[in-house]
Amino acid sequence: MIRLRLDVDDLSRVTLALPGPYCELAVSAQVIQQPRSTFRRLHRAGRTRHIPARARQLLDLVPASGGIPDFLIPESAGSLDEALDVVQSTHPARLQAELTELPWTQGPPPWVRDLAQGRVAALKYLGQSMRIYHDNVLAPLWPGIRRAMSFEMKRRAWQLATQGVAVVLNTLHTGIRWRQSALEVDGPFHAEVDLGGRGLRLMPSIWTRPGVARSWSETTLVYPMPADCWTHSERATAGHDEALRGLLGSTRTRVLRTLTVEHTTSGLAGALGISPASASMHAATLRTTGLVTSRRDGQAVYHAVTALGQAVLAAAAEGG
């Protein structure tokens, strides 16, 4: 258990924040291995049910339960390339320390032993695995996850305003308790942490247990997103997409939702289970209407939703 001691200054600096897809990437690689997790259920119900063999290499580093190597969870990144650059720039001493802590039953695979030594080829291999996993597993589900998290954030903000911070802290999760000026967080590690006026950031997650990110620039309490948030998102998505499909068509609606996270043409194709030529055509059509923007980086073309595209998605969500 971790005990976080909060004084008056800390309580006045309690904030809410949404995670980005890249700090949830390794987390999702853990929960997809858990039979009862909502993320696993949604993945298995989707169009791309399988995990590519190349992406499964990421699971070598992420056990089905317990801790996840911190270097796989960048605090913030504006793009997948930036996130992978952060991960691949991890100091060899940190790689060695965090990989050694994993509960190996038969010892790590050869490529992981190379990774622990900071070898460039192994780091490149890891980056490729993370990219393939992102494009084929996490990205197709991220728009729904984002809507569920936004619902949770709105609810917590209202609760904070009307009931106060103590009620918020005591209702985040059964493994989190506010007692005698300290926040107790159940987990496999034991520590006493005095926040010393720095404040605390609260962040919902697809993770199935609470945790504290102490190595980030802001001490962050990560807590599992409540089940009703997932239900709300699934119901809302069905209604919102019906309206959008009438405007854009079925495939372009899926393209627009998927591109709330930047994708390459091939990544978009993989996420939606369509050909690269079809993905390029649909992205080009949406680009001509101002809903999507594209940029070239070397031989790859990256696509993402514009502010107008976000407004269209938001209007559908509000029934406008």
Side-chain angles (χ1 to χ4, degrees):
M1 180 180 69
I2 297 179
R3 284 175 54 87
L4 301 173
R5 296 193 177 278
L6 287 76
D7 60 19
V8 174
D9 288 336
D10 292 311
L11 291 172
S12 70
R13 292 182 173 89
V14 171
T15 59
L16 305 170
L18 284 171
Y22 314 116
C23 69
E24 290 282 88
L25 196 153
V27 171
S28 74
Q30 179 172 90
V31 297
I32 203 171
Q33 301 176 68
Q34 300 172 357
R36 296 185 178 181
S37 77
T38 303
F39 182 83
R40 178 186 174 97
R41 176 179 62 79
L42 292 176
H43 170 69
R44 293 176 67 86
R47 294 175 179 269
T48 54
R49 296 181 55 183
H50 73 292
I51 303 176
R54 190 66 182 77
R56 284 186 174 275
Q57 304 305 315
L58 176 61
L59 275 58
D60 288 342
L61 305 180
V62 182
S65 61
I68 298 172
D70 285 346
F71 77 89
L72 290 175
I73 310 176
E75 180 176 2
S76 60
S79 67
L80 181 59
D81 284 343
E82 183 181 342
L84 295 182
D85 183 62
V86 171
V87 171
Q88 292 173 309
S89 299
T90 305
H91 194 279
R94 182 179 178 185
L95 292 171
Q96 178 75 43
E98 295 187 10
L99 292 175
T100 300
E101 292 178 355
L102 292 177
W104 304 107
T105 55
Q106 299 179 341
W111 83 271
V112 176
R113 291 197 292 269
D114 289 343
L115 180 66
Q117 297 177 27
R119 293 184 177 175
V120 173
L123 286 163
K124 182 178 179 181
Y125 188 83
L126 171 60
Q128 292 170 346
S129 296
M130 293 180 71
R131 184 181 296 279
I132 295 171
Y133 178 91
H134 169 270
D135 289 349
N136 290 274
V137 180
L138 180 60
L141 298 177
W142 186 253
I145 293 171
R146 185 74 175 189
R147 287 191 292 277
M149 289 178 171
S150 295
F151 175 74
E152 165 67 3
M153 290 286 286
K154 292 176 182 177
R155 178 170 59 184
R156 292 297 176 187
W158 179 254
Q159 186 181 46
L160 181 64
T162 59
Q163 297 178 280
V165 67
V167 173
V168 172
L169 296 176
N170 267 323
T171 58
L172 293 174
H173 186 262
T174 56
I176 301 171
R177 298 167 298 277
W178 172 244
R179 295 179 180 173
Q180 300 177 341
S181 300
L183 195 62
E184 299 176 351
V185 183
D186 291 344
F189 307 107
H190 298 275
E192 294 273 344
V193 181
D194 188 341
L195 295 181
R198 298 188 304 274
L200 180 66
R201 180 168 55 184
L202 308 178
M203 183 178 288
S205 173
I206 61 176
W207 214 11
T208 52
R209 71 172 180 84
V212 179
R214 297 170 57 189
S215 62
W216 286 0
S217 62
E218 295 182 57
T219 302
T220 302
L221 173 61
V222 177
Y223 66 95
M225 189 162 49
D228 65 327
C229 294
W230 294 99
T231 303
H232 171 84
S233 176
E234 291 180 71
R235 289 174 178 172
T237 299
H240 303 164
D241 280 359
E242 183 177 353
L244 282 175
R245 283 195 296 267
L247 177 67
L248 302 174
S250 177
T251 301
R252 286 174 192 156
T253 294
R254 294 169 57 214
V255 169
L256 191 65
R257 288 206 179 281
T258 302
L259 290 181
T260 54
V261 176
E262 187 177 61
H263 280 67
T264 62
T265 302
S266 60
L268 178 62
L272 297 179
I274 60 179
S275 70
S278 179
S280 178
M281 179 192 69
H282 288 301
T285 300
L286 292 170
R287 184 171 61 248
T288 60
T289 60
L291 300 178
V292 164
T293 184
S294 303
R295 65 179 180 86
R296 179 174 290 278
D297 186 355
Q299 295 185 347
V301 178
Y302 291 80
H303 311 282
V305 168
T306 62
L308 178 60
Q310 293 282 10
V312 169
L313 291 171
E318 295 298 331

